[in-house]
Amino acid sequence: MKQAKDFILTGNRVLPSGCHLMTFVAADGAKLPPIEPGQFVQVRIDNSPKAFLRRPISICDVRYDTELVLFVKPQGEGTQRLVELPENAMTNIMLPLGHGFTCQDSRGGKVLLVGGGVGAAPLVALSRRLSAVGADVTVAIGGRSALDVEGVDALYAGSVSRILVSTDDGSYGHEGVVTCLPEFDEVFDRIYCCGPTPMMKAVARIAREKGIWCEVSLENHMACGIGACLCCVENTSDRGNVCVCTEGPVFNINRLQSWE
C-alpha cells in the first residue's frame, strides 16, 4: 500500500558522474513497506517555488528493511535542491509507486540486466532479488564516457556473476554502445532493461530477434505518480493508452504498441 511519510536523510554519497546515492530512513523509525524492484517514489521538494510538484525517483535499493536508497542525478531545480539536502534533513516521500519487474519466474535462469546512465539504478535491487532466487545474473552498464559509469558498477558487487561496462568513447570498459558488448551474442533466458529509450529499443530488438522474454522500465515524464495527470501515457497492445506511473513503469516489450 502506498503512503506518504517523512524521511530523514542519513547518507549522501557523490559518484564521479555527479549523481548522488542518497539513503533515507523513516522519521518514525518504522520499517519500509514491501517494495518490489522497479518501483519508484515521489519526493517532495521543500523551499523551492519552482518545484511545486514531487519528483519521481527510481528506487535503487532497500537495506535491512529500513533504509531506502535513491540514485539521483541533478538535472533541474527539483533534483538539484534534493541532492543539496544536508545530512539529517527531513523530506516527505510517497512510496512505493507503480509496478516493478517480474522476478518469480527467473529462478535458476540465465539473466541479463542492461542499464544505461541513471537507468542502472533500479537494476541494483533487481540484481539482488534475482541472485537470491538462484538466477545467474550478468549486468551490462553503458554510458557516454567513464564519468557516466565509474562507481556505478560497484553497486552490483557481490550480487551478480559478471559486471560488463561499455562507454561510447572507450574511456572505461568496452568501447561502443552497450549492445555491442560481445556477451550479447550469448543466449539468455530473460533480459531486463532500463535507460534511454533508444538504448532500450535496441535491446528490445535483440530480444525479439532471439525470442527472449524481456521487460523494460520506461522513463516517461511523470507529474503526479498516481495516474491523475495523464502526463505519462503509453499505448499498449492489450489495454490501449495507460499511465506508465500506475500500469508500469515496467512493461513487457510485447505490450508496447509503438515499439513493434
Side-chain angles (χ1 to χ4, degrees):
M1 176 183 292
K2 60 178 175 286
Q3 53 187 273
K5 59 188 304 179
D6 291 332
F7 280 79
I8 297 173
L9 177 65
T10 58
N12 189 355
R13 179 160 66 94
V14 186
L15 299 181
S17 63
C19 293
H20 290 242
L21 204 62
M22 306 183 72
T23 304
F24 297 86
V25 297
D28 61 5
K31 289 185 177 181
L32 295 170
I35 293 174
E36 294 299 319
Q39 290 186 297
F40 67 101
V41 302
Q42 290 275 122
V43 183
R44 191 179 70 200
I45 308 298
D46 296 320
N47 304 316
S48 175
K50 294 182 179 179
F52 57 91
L53 293 173
R54 291 175 182 260
R55 293 301 190 264
I57 307 289
S58 294
I59 296 172
C60 179
D61 206 358
V62 173
R63 299 172 182 159
Y64 316 115
D65 295 326
T66 57
E67 293 184 350
L68 175 71
V69 183
L70 304 182
F71 189 85
V72 185
K73 181 177 182 178
Q75 293 181 300
E77 171 75 16
T79 48
Q80 185 63 48
R81 287 296 184 100
L82 178 59
V83 300
E84 290 174 352
L85 286 176
E87 196 164 313
N88 296 318
M90 187 178 296
T91 189
N92 190 270
I93 299 177
M94 184 185 299
L95 80 170
L97 300 173
H99 291 277
F101 294 103
T102 306
C103 302
Q104 61 267 28
D105 296 327
S106 295
R107 188 180 302 273
K110 185 178 179 182
V111 175
L112 175 65
L113 312 185
V114 188
V118 294
L123 302 180
V124 174
L126 177 62
S127 71
R128 299 190 193 285
R129 180 69 62 86
L130 293 174
S131 295
V133 298
D136 179 12
V137 181
T138 296
V139 174
I141 303 169
R144 291 185 296 272
S145 69
L147 281 179
D148 293 316
V149 296
E150 193 174 352
V152 176
D153 49 349
L155 301 177
Y156 299 92
S159 65
V160 300
S161 300
R162 293 180 293 176
I163 303 173
L164 314 171
V165 179
S166 72
T167 51
D168 295 351
D169 63 3
S171 56
Y172 195 91
H174 184 87
E175 182 175 1
V177 297
V178 70
T179 50
C180 289
L181 284 165
E183 286 77 9
F184 271 83
D185 292 332
E186 299 177 18
V187 177
F188 293 88
D189 297 304
R190 291 191 164 212
I191 297 176
Y192 300 86
C193 182
C194 184
T197 299
M199 183 207 77
M200 290 196 292
K201 287 187 174 182
V203 172
R205 282 195 296 271
I206 293 172
R208 284 201 179 97
E209 289 169 1
K210 294 187 174 185
I212 301 174
W213 181 99
C214 179
E215 280 186 341
V216 296
S217 180
L218 302 188
E219 296 187 324
N220 296 36
H221 289 295
M222 300 178 190
C224 70
I226 56 174
C229 67
L230 306 181
C231 287
C232 59
V233 168
E234 185 76 25
N235 190 19
T236 62
S237 58
D238 55 342
R239 295 192 57 195
N241 290 329
V242 300
C243 290
V244 169
C245 64
T246 54
E247 187 79 10
V250 176
F251 291 86
N252 187 288
I253 58 172
N254 294 326
R255 294 189 62 200
L256 299 173
Q257 191 81 353
S258 62
W259 287 34
E260 295 180 355

